[in-house]
């Protein structure tokens, strides 16, 4: 008989964890009060980009696992919603390659002539980018096709779920503040603009120098995502016009082709921030593993953290 497991949370972390557990021979039930296209994950620009400024071997290992899985999915972009695009990151001073690119063979230094005013250097590397809604739907379809069950309900007691099935992975993001009693979690509001895709826009660009005002332009198949903000503690969903104007101005300085981009939608998401990602066994509840606290790196870390969580849960007998 196939050993059961339960995953709580239906965003990108929950779905990738559920699929990883299925790969390990588990019969998985996904518990979530929201459909994937209603989760925070669907708002994301969904570009693979390790944004830590300092080297972190564990972060890089998890991100590299996700890089390989996402690149494989990009072989069928019509189904998965994942494509490989060139990401160019700009820096105000001449710099060596970002630490997370040093083992990527296709990275290269961009020409100084390709840098906008105010930037001294840039590095370009091919990375996976997803249309978040299509990608999440693809993961959910794969999960169901493998026999996965989804129950749309709110979970209020992780210990009770662990006692019932003996194997639970908590992927509830900020919900873990209440469910797991984790006071180190906080919300960081992110604002992005979904825009009509300007003619001739090919690639992705980012200036990650200001942690409160990350600037990025992400090409997708039928539109573009312009960002953004990182607003700690803000929970308002209303976005002032000056915030939209600031994002547009910053993105236009980075990529002049988006100067007249038509805004189709202003989107707000709330990232579950934590000092470190929590992927570990619960010290008090047998059979419970936690996988949350990814902040804005859920897409980048998803498959790597999913594999680690599955390892911690153990091989079914």
């Amino acid at each position: 008989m196939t050993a059961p497991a339960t995953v709580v949370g239906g965003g990108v972390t929950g779905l990738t964890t559920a699929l990883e557990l299925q790969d390990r021979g588990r019969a998985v039930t996904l518990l979530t009060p929201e459909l994937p296209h209603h989760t925070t994950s669907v708002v994301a620009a969904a570009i693979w980009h390790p944004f830590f400024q300092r080297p972190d071997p564990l972060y890089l290992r998890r991100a590299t696992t996700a890089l390989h899985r996402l690149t494989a999915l990009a072989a069928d972009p019509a189904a998965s919603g994942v494509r490989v695009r060139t990401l160019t990151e700009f820096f105000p001073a001449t710099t060596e390659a970002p630490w997370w690119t040093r083992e990527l063979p296709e990275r290269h230094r961009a020409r100084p002539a390709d840098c906008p005013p105010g930037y001294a250097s840039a590095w370009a590397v091919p990375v996976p980018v997803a249309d978040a809604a299509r990608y999440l739907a693809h993961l959910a379809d794969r999960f169901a096709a493998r026999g996965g069950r989804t129950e749309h309900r709110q979970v209020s007691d992780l210990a009770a779920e662990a006692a019932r099935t003996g194997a639970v992975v908590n992927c509830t993001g900020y919900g873990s503040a209440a469910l797991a009693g984790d006071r180190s979690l906080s919300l960081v509001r992110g604002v992005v603009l979904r825009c009509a895709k300007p003619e001739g826009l090919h690639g992705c660009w980012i200036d990650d120098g200001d942690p409160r005002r990350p600037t990025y332009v992400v090409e997708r198949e039928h539109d573009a995502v312009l960002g953004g903000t990182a607003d700690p503690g803000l929970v308002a969903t209303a976005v002032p016009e000056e915030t939209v104007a600031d994002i547009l101005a910053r993105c236009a300085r980075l990529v002049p082709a988006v100067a007249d981009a038509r805004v189709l939608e202003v989107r707000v998401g709330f990232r579950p921030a934590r000092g470190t990602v929590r992927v570990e066994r619960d010290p008090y509840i047998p059979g419970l593993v936690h996988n949350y606290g990814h902040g804005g790196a859920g897409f980048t870390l998803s498959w790597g953290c999913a594999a680690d969580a599955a390892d911690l849960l153990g091989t079914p007998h």
Side-chain angles (χ1 to χ4, degrees), residues 8-311:
V8 185
V12 68
T13 298
L15 286 169
T16 51
T17 299
L19 287 165
E20 186 68 29
L21 289 171
Q22 286 181 324
D23 286 344
R24 310 289 181 97
R26 297 271 189 178
V28 183
T29 299
L30 184 70
L31 306 181
T32 176
E34 300 174 315
L35 294 170
H37 62 270
H38 288 151
T39 63
T40 296
S41 297
V42 79
V43 179
I47 181 169
W48 185 91
H49 176 244
F51 55 81
F52 270 21
Q53 299 303 307
R54 64 184 186 281
D56 184 323
L58 177 59
Y59 186 107
L60 184 58
R61 177 177 65 76
R62 289 169 170 166
T64 301
T65 297
L67 174 67
H68 294 322
R69 295 291 292 270
L70 291 163
T71 301
L73 287 168
D76 187 1
S80 68
V82 181
R83 296 176 183 271
V84 173
R85 304 188 187 279
T86 299
L87 167 64
T88 303
E89 183 163 5
F90 296 104
F91 301 91
T94 302
T95 182
E96 294 302 311
W99 65 271
W100 51 270
T101 70
R102 288 171 188 165
E103 295 185 19
L104 299 179
E106 296 181 68
R107 69 184 170 99
H108 66 275
R109 189 188 294 273
R111 298 180 308 163
D114 293 332
C115 294
Y119 296 95
S121 65
W123 287 86
V125 62
V127 300
V129 180
D131 180 312
R134 188 189 304 179
Y135 176 60
L136 291 170
H138 174 70
L139 296 182
D141 289 345
R142 283 179 61 190
F143 173 68
R146 295 176 175 187
R149 294 176 57 248
T150 299
E151 296 181 12
H152 298 294
R153 63 179 175 89
Q154 188 78 46
V155 172
S156 59
D157 189 338
L158 291 172
E161 296 297 335
R164 185 171 61 85
T165 64
V168 173
V169 184
N170 169 34
C171 303
T172 57
Y174 186 71
S176 295
L179 269 178
D182 192 337
R183 296 183 179 180
S184 66
L185 275 165
S186 62
L187 285 178
V188 176
R189 188 184 74 166
V191 177
V192 300
L193 312 179
R194 189 174 70 86
C195 297
K197 182 177 173 179
E199 185 174 353
L201 187 73
H202 298 294
C204 307
W205 301 263
I206 189 166
D207 170 8
D208 211 23
D210 185 342
R212 296 288 185 93
R213 298 165 70 232
T215 302
Y216 48 88
V217 175
V218 177
E219 177 207 1
R220 303 199 300 190
E221 186 176 2
H222 300 297
D223 57 13
V225 175
L226 278 58
T229 71
D231 307 314
L234 284 186
V235 295
T237 56
V239 179
E241 290 184 9
E242 50 265 35
T243 298
V244 174
D246 178 63
I247 292 172
L248 287 170
R250 285 188 279 121
C251 288
R253 285 196 294 270
L254 206 64
V255 184
V258 303
D260 298 317
R262 179 166 56 93
V263 177
L264 303 175
E265 188 178 6
V266 179
R267 312 185 83 175
V268 177
F270 297 93
R271 306 174 181 115
R274 195 173 184 272
T276 58
V277 177
R278 187 183 186 192
V279 182
E280 64 180 14
R281 293 187 183 93
D282 190 279
Y284 306 109
I285 303 174
L288 175 61
V289 170
H290 297 286
N291 182 10
Y292 65 81
H294 303 83
F299 181 77
T300 299
L301 296 175
S302 56
W303 289 105
C305 288
D308 284 357
D311 286 344

